[in-house]
Amino acid sequence: GAGVSQSPRYKVAKRGQDVALRCDPISGHVSLFWYQQALGQGPEFLTYFQNEAQLDKSGLPSDRFFAERPEGSVSTLKIQRTQQEDSAVYLCASSYTELISYNEQFFGPGTRLTVL
Amino acid sequence: AQRVTQPEKLLSVFKGAPVELKCNYSYSGSPELFWYVQYSRQRLQLLLRHISRESIKGFTADLNKGETSFHLKKPFAQEEDSAMYYCALIGADGLTFGKGTHLIIQP
């Protein structure tokens, strides 16, 4: 593929709805990251996968947030019972190896979530 | 905890003028620092990393451990440099971004 892809690009949800955001990393990339970027802020780390293993989920803001990567490629970020404060751009990134250090992360275009 | 501070939300300079985007960090170990850039309607992408000591698109950044800074510099700004610039640090807590500086190059 040409790069990391994310879908949908835009999502509007009513407060209380569940949403699922998809990330297709670059083929063969071992590491996958999710970030949340609020308006006027830099991206903030949510969670990290090495293949199918979720090695770090310390950035997930609450137990309403859940991420999975069952086959070590595509990942889904699920937000249950969405709240207005969940409105943000959700970025996915992948990198070639399991080493976080030194390795460039390739970012997707993001999914802009608006919770009404 | 690791932290990255970009004190300027907005920086506007004229074409041909020098540019310096400030970045300060807080980290107890040896940091790895990066600059990421996001041009209008494009995705976030890596601009440069301190370990490479390279110049990309005329930009350079030097890690100053004494001042805990990693400022991004370019001697002569070009209009195509207009973008959001994010300083980032990799440490024990993963990749931490600053809030970004919006650079506007005026013709």
Side-chain angles (χ1 to χ4, degrees):
Chain A
V4 179
S5 61
Q6 293 185 245
S7 61
R9 293 291 312 278
Y10 303 91
K11 176 68 179 177
V12 178
K14 291 183 178 178
R15 190 162 58 94
Q17 275 186 325
D18 297 349
V19 298
L21 312 180
R22 177 188 170 106
C23 173
D24 284 82
I26 293 173
S27 179
H29 276 198
V30 169
S31 295
L32 185 144
F33 307 82
W34 283 99
Y35 296 88
Q36 180 190 59
Q37 186 172 19
L39 190 64
Q41 304 293 316
E44 292 194 3
F45 170 80
L46 292 177
T47 187
Y48 161 60
F49 289 86
Q50 186 184 113
N51 295 307
E52 70 278 4
Q54 189 174 21
L55 298 188
D56 188 345
K57 54 182 180 179
S58 61
L60 296 176
S62 78
D63 58 7
R64 296 186 294 104
F65 287 71
F66 172 77
E68 60 183 6
R69 193 186 185 198
E71 297 178 359
S73 56
V74 171
S75 178
T76 304
L77 175 67
K78 298 179 179 177
I79 309 173
Q80 297 177 322
R81 304 181 304 281
T82 53
Q83 303 294 315
Q84 284 190 319
E85 60 263 28
D86 300 334
S87 296
V89 175
Y90 289 85
L91 296 170
C92 176
S94 69
S95 65
Y96 180 63
T97 75
E98 68 276 13
L99 298 174
I100 297 179
S101 302
Y102 302 112
N103 283 289
E104 178 178 357
Q105 293 187 21
F106 294 85
F107 282 82
T111 294
R112 183 179 296 279
L113 172 65
T114 303
V115 181
L116 302 177
Chain B
Q2 58 197 57
R3 192 168 63 244
V4 176
T5 303
Q6 293 180 251
E8 304 141 327
K9 289 188 70 172
L10 175 67
L11 182 63
S12 179
V13 302
F14 286 102
K15 177 182 172 182
V19 172
E20 182 177 67
L21 300 171
K22 291 184 167 46
C23 172
N24 288 89
Y25 67 90
S26 173
Y27 185 63
S28 57
S30 292
E32 298 170 42
L33 286 144
F34 305 77
W35 277 98
Y36 278 80
V37 61
Q38 188 167 25
Y39 301 102
S40 179
R41 300 184 185 280
Q42 294 188 29
R43 59 189 67 190
L44 196 60
Q45 59 186 287
L46 180 67
L47 179 63
L48 55 79
R49 66 193 85 184
H50 90 268
I51 59 167
S52 301
R53 302 185 66 79
E54 58 198 346
S55 174
I56 302 293
K57 299 184 179 183
F59 284 98
T60 59
D62 291 318
L63 178 60
N64 185 322
K65 291 186 177 181
E67 296 182 357
T68 60
S69 68
F70 187 57
H71 303 327
L72 183 68
K73 300 177 183 179
K74 184 169 182 176
F76 306 104
Q78 298 172 291
E79 288 186 64
E80 55 264 33
D81 296 329
S82 294
M84 281 294 300
Y85 290 81
Y86 295 94
C87 183
L89 175 155
I90 282 186
D93 294 339
L95 186 61
T96 297
F97 287 87
K99 293 185 177 183
T101 297
H102 187 187
L103 177 63
I104 296 175
I105 308 301
Q106 298 189 51

